[in-house]
Amino acid sequence: MNFANLMRAELESATDLEVVVSVVDIPAGTRLPVHTHPGEEFAYVIEGSLVLWQEDKEDIRVKAGDVCKVPLGQVHTSFTEDEGAKILVFRVHTKGAPERVLVE
């Protein structure tokens, strides 16, 4: 998996929050580690497709042109199957907190 943060900025309306914008390339046949975020995550699929797994929820299959959301603190992961995916991710989370917290 490759990713690059494109922007990180404080939210003027909430001094304890920031927005992080990233582009993520996930190769075919890849499962990301199970994790949470200290905020909400929104993703737009630019290319390919993936499956969003969220604890206690049904899997969501997303493809190019689709948008999905992961709620604050939701245990989740994503995985690709026969094709990879390129996604644009927007996270609004607690300023200074780690972007991702692994769950064992």
Side-chain angles (χ1 to χ4, degrees), residues 1-15:
M1 174 186 75
N2 292 318
F3 78 94
N5 287 340
L6 303 175
M7 182 182 79
R8 179 184 301 266
E10 291 182 19
L11 295 173
E12 293 180 23
S13 62
T15 57

Side-chain angles (χ1 to χ4, degrees), residues 34 36 52-59 73-77 103-104:
V34 176
T36 65
L52 171 63
W53 174 88
Q54 299 178 84
E55 187 174 63
D56 299 324
K57 296 185 178 189
E58 289 191 31
D59 289 355
Q74 176 69 50
V75 175
H76 69 286
T77 189
V103 175
E104 295 183 26

Side-chain angles (χ1 to χ4, degrees), residues 7 16 21 23 28 44-45 56 66 73 84:
M7 182 182 79
D16 60 335
V21 180
V23 63
Y44 171 76
V45 182
D56 299 324
D66 290 345

Side-chain angles (χ1 to χ4, degrees), residues 5 13 33 39 48-49 51 56 73 75 79 82 90 93-94 101 103-104:
N5 287 340
S13 62
S49 64
V51 177
D56 299 324
V75 175
F79 60 91
D82 295 338
F90 296 81
H93 66 84
T94 305
V101 177
V103 175
E104 295 183 26

